[in-house]
Amino acid sequence: MFQLEGFVNSQYPQHVCKLTKALYGLKQAPRAWFDKLKHAFLISSLFKSIYKKEDQVLYVLVYVDDIFLTRSNAALVQEIIHKLNKQFALKTLGSLKYFLGFEVTRTESVLHMNQEKYAKDLLVKTSMLDSKPFSTPMVVGTKLVVEDNELFDKPGLYRSTIGALQYLTLTRLDIAYFVNKLSQFLKAPTQLHWQACKRLLRYIKGTLTHGIQFHKVDKFNLECYTDDWASSVQDRRSTSGCCLILGPNLLQWSSHKQKVVALSSTEAEYRALAQGATEVAWFRSLFS
């Protein structure tokens, strides 16, 4: 280790600097930042990102140094901002419009979320921005298997594209099933797999503003729907689908292949149902 060029101490040229606080790039920087932020939260009466005062409640969502507050009372937000501002130099951006790739628009009763900019960036990365859009994400009856065609010459591009598509499913449940199917060929993608991926990108090109909406909830009814589909011709395992709804709002959805081969359609249905029951139990715990 050496002293920085231009800042060498003439009296102690062989000495090195001792860091008194964590800097970006150091292995311990994330942990040091988390400890400091947690301490600031405790001082501000925040416990596990939840702040309660009488019958009012406020939730805090943190991603590194980006903080998003949502509340039942507007005065609570200003109170927490004032407390945190004593610890950090904050920049208040007002009502939520963009956060971690999510774009938010709202009316009196509806909040709409999409990832239009994120999807456009993905199309630019894959040179598909000027492609002709399709009205469906996949051809009906498409059966993808491992030994479909000759290997794709850019497997890294395929893997990074699928990874980006997985993040896009956070607001696009319409592509969740097909992204699940394409994710099963990351090890050795073929030309046919890449063609199927490009078709999905063309569908996204025509549906950039699609997203998910949240409405005000009148009744706190939690519902779960599950199903399965024996679609894999490769290993005969079924694919489970699950969605969980609160009032008119879709909260969680998934599509994934079951871990074992079901010996009957009834067994496959029960496995999908078990997954749904697990999700319901988790959300009930969260809400309580």
Side-chain angles (χ1 to χ4, degrees), residues 103-153:
E103 299 175 53
V104 180
T105 56
R106 70 178 71 217
T107 64
E108 286 294 324
S109 59
V110 178
L111 185 146
H112 179 80
M113 294 178 62
N114 64 43
Q115 295 167 276
E116 181 178 358
K117 183 180 182 301
Y118 179 85
K120 281 184 177 178
D121 292 342
L122 176 59
L123 293 174
V124 171
K125 174 186 173 183
T126 54
S127 302
M128 296 293 290
L129 186 61
D130 297 326
S131 62
K132 180 181 178 181
F134 280 165
S135 58
T136 58
M138 60 184 291
V139 179
V140 176
T142 299
K143 298 287 186 180
L144 298 175
V145 295
V146 176
E147 299 86 4
D148 259 320
N149 207 299
E150 61 178 302
L151 292 177
F152 182 46
D153 58 351

Side-chain angles (χ1 to χ4, degrees), residues 81-94:
I81 289 177
H82 178 72
K83 289 182 177 181
L84 292 178
N85 206 28
K86 294 179 180 179
Q87 303 285 325
F88 311 103
L90 300 182
K91 182 179 180 182
T92 306
L93 301 178

Side-chain angles (χ1 to χ4, degrees), residues 41 44 46 57 59 81 94 106 125 137 157 179 201 208 221 231 250 260 274 277:
F41 274 16
S44 304
L46 279 162
V57 63
Y59 295 93
I81 289 177
R106 70 178 71 217
K125 174 186 173 183
L157 174 62
V179 171
L201 292 171
L208 286 172
N221 293 329
S231 59
L250 185 63
V260 298

Side-chain angles (χ1 to χ4, degrees), residues 138-204:
M138 60 184 291
V139 179
V140 176
T142 299
K143 298 287 186 180
L144 298 175
V145 295
V146 176
E147 299 86 4
D148 259 320
N149 207 299
E150 61 178 302
L151 292 177
F152 182 46
D153 58 351
K154 297 179 180 179
L157 174 62
Y158 182 88
R159 292 165 188 149
S160 63
T161 302
I162 297 302
L165 287 170
Q166 287 176 338
Y167 190 70
L168 192 59
T169 60
L170 294 177
T171 58
R172 296 290 301 270
L173 68 158
D174 54 331
I175 66 172
Y177 172 75
F178 200 43
V179 171
N180 166 277
K181 301 303 292 183
L182 293 173
S183 299
Q184 298 172 22
F185 309 103
L186 296 178
K187 182 178 180 180
T190 66
Q191 292 288 348
L192 195 60
H193 298 147
W194 177 241
Q195 291 299 321
C197 182
K198 287 174 67 176
R199 181 189 174 92
L200 179 57
L201 292 171
R202 290 187 176 189
Y203 168 73
I204 293 172

